[in-house]
Amino acid sequence: MADHDDETPGTGSAVEKSEPLKTSAGTAVVTTDAFENPGEPPHRLRVTDLDPKEEKKAERQVSFLFFASVVFSVLAVAAYIAFPITPGDTGSIRLNNLFLGLGIALGLLSIGIGAVHWSKTLMPAREITEMRHLTRGSDATRAKAAEVFTLGNKESGFGRRALIRNSLFGAVVAFILPGVVIFRDLGPKIDPNTVLRHTMWKKGSYLSLDPTGTRIKAADVTLGSVFHVIPEDLLQSQDLLEEKAKAAVLLMRLNPADLNEPAGRENWQYDGIVAYSKICTHVGCPVALYEQQTHHLLCPCHQSTFDVTNNCHVIFGPASRPLPQLPITVDSEGYLVAQSDFHEPVGPSFWERDR
């Protein structure tokens, strides 16, 4: 890939020949027969160097491998579509991973084998010696470096072997396609705005204890108490953890006189019982610490603090907005039920939010 560097080694060069040392009588014996550089072995021409037909054959082989890579990459995309993953079917996962992985692996392997075969059969094969230089060379050396790149292009044939060059470009471009296609698995099928904006709470959903799912009566919630609450039908959900991460609620009972309810939310609580999202509006940590005397909710991750008496407004920490409130009431038997879903998205702010 580079010219022979035939410049004479200077002082300090790694290949500088050592001279006999002058020693005085009585010192250690120093040998004067320094190791001679054996030089480079004789250059052996390859079949492709001797026969133009073999050279052309090798060029076609390299191009074939690159075109094969294109085919395998396209097959990987086709396999991804032909063998979709079905939720709950482990067999579909195995088939999808098997054929998708084989297509990607064979596509990359074909590029690698083709590149090695190209270098072994068509690029110059002679051995060279490069002298060791300082970190920054002289202007002449830097100019020589640019010349080496030009020479490398000439010797590799990259500029003149259009068939190999174009097939390599096609293989590299096609190899990216499977990765682009499977990017669709990084996000949900449903619009994230819809997924993050709604929870399992709806009108008539019973408030139940986490994790047993036992319904809660208003009479069971004593003054100063706090309950970790989930929707009753959460335990039957196929996406339990995902839904719980949005629907988890803290239930507390305060003296109704201590509540400063904003206009329009007077009926969101029942006899001093209030329910707020357990998911911190900073980065989504569980708000699990309740100070009974001050009526403050504390997030243990980054110490965001919310005042329950003032609609869970932030009084300290990095959270930027109050905890969303769940409107609740009781049914005919005294069990606590939700009036509706949250009226605003729960958890951290996200880009689709209106505010």
Side-chain angles (χ1 to χ4, degrees):
M1 292 295 293
D3 283 339
H4 289 277
D5 196 339
D6 54 2
E7 58 185 336
T8 303
T11 303
S13 171
V15 296
E16 180 184 4
K17 295 185 178 180
S18 61
E19 297 181 358
L21 297 177
K22 296 180 180 180
T23 60
S24 59
T27 59
V29 176
V30 179
T31 59
T32 58
D33 53 339
F35 176 77
E36 294 295 335
N37 186 348
E40 299 170 355
H43 178 57
R44 298 176 58 185
L45 295 177
R46 302 162 301 187
V47 175
T48 52
D49 297 327
L50 300 172
D51 189 347
K53 292 183 178 179
E54 292 295 330
E55 180 184 13
K56 196 65 178 178
K57 178 181 177 182
E59 182 177 357
R60 289 195 297 267
Q61 290 171 341
V62 173
S63 299
F64 172 79
L65 287 167
F66 289 158
F67 283 124
S69 175
V70 175
V71 173
F72 288 129
S73 297
V74 173
L75 288 178
V77 175
Y80 178 79
I81 298 173
F83 301 97
I85 294 178
T86 304
D89 183 3
T90 56
S92 66
I93 298 176
R94 286 194 295 268
L95 287 175
N96 183 278
N97 289 344
L98 173 62
F99 291 108
L100 178 63
L102 282 175
I104 294 176
L106 292 174
L108 183 58
L109 182 64
S110 297
I111 292 178
I113 295 176
V116 172
H117 191 48
W118 183 5
S119 66
K120 291 290 186 181
T121 58
L122 297 175
M123 295 184 185
R126 71 179 185 274
E127 295 187 7
I128 62 174
T129 300
E130 294 182 340
M131 296 299 179
R132 183 178 299 174
H133 301 284
L134 298 176
T135 303
R136 186 191 188 283
S138 63
D139 291 339
T141 302
R142 293 164 66 85
K144 185 67 178 255
E147 180 184 341
V148 167
F149 281 104
T150 303
L151 181 62
N153 175 55
K154 178 181 178 181
E155 291 183 339
S156 66
F158 191 83
R160 61 186 175 84
R161 298 186 187 275
L163 181 60
I164 289 181
R165 183 182 67 248
N166 296 337
S167 60
L168 175 60
F169 287 157
V172 173
V173 171
F175 183 73
I176 301 174
L177 295 179
V180 174
V181 172
I182 62 178
F183 279 162
R184 67 186 297 270
D185 280 343
L186 298 180
K189 296 180 180 179
I190 307 174
D191 180 7
N193 184 28
T194 303
V195 173
L196 296 175
R197 191 173 293 276
H198 300 288
T199 72
M200 289 190 66
W201 292 109
K202 59 182 181 294
K203 184 176 181 180
S205 294
Y206 283 96
L207 279 68
S208 63
L209 293 176
D210 182 14
T212 62
T214 305
R215 293 181 180 180
I216 305 172
K217 282 190 173 184
D220 298 331
V221 186
T222 59
L223 193 65
S225 62
V226 60
F227 292 85
H228 297 262
V229 174
I230 56 176
E232 184 184 36
D233 53 353
L234 175 66
L235 299 180
Q236 284 72 47
S237 173
Q238 294 183 347
D239 302 316
L240 189 148
L241 293 180
E242 289 82 354
E243 293 298 336
K244 184 176 182 179
K246 298 184 296 179
V249 163
L250 285 174
L251 185 73
M252 297 143 289
R253 187 166 203 160
L254 287 71
N255 186 337
D258 294 334
L259 294 174
N260 300 314
E261 300 168 305
R265 297 193 177 188
E266 297 85 352
N267 298 323
W268 284 22
Q269 55 88 22
Y270 177 79
D271 196 21
I273 302 175
V274 291
Y276 285 94
S277 172
K278 187 180 176 179
I279 313 304
C280 183
T281 54
H282 177 217
V283 293
C285 298
V287 180
L289 303 177
Y290 176 58
E291 296 178 351
Q292 187 182 65
Q293 302 302 318
T294 60
H295 306 304
H296 292 168
L297 284 173
L298 175 67
C299 176
C301 293
H302 306 98
Q303 287 70 55
S304 293
T305 307
F306 306 88
D307 186 359
V308 181
T309 61
N310 288 296
N311 198 38
C312 272
H313 280 281
V314 181
I315 58 175
F316 180 79
S320 60
R321 60 189 180 92
L323 294 174
Q325 184 177 2
L326 180 69
I328 60 172
T329 186
V330 294
D331 67 358
S332 58
E333 298 180 358
Y335 288 103
L336 292 168
V337 295
Q339 297 184 34
S340 65
D341 194 2
F342 292 98
H343 286 223
E344 59 181 314
V346 301
S349 299
F350 54 95
W351 66 95
E352 291 95 345
R353 280 181 51 81
D354 296 332
R355 59 182 178 86

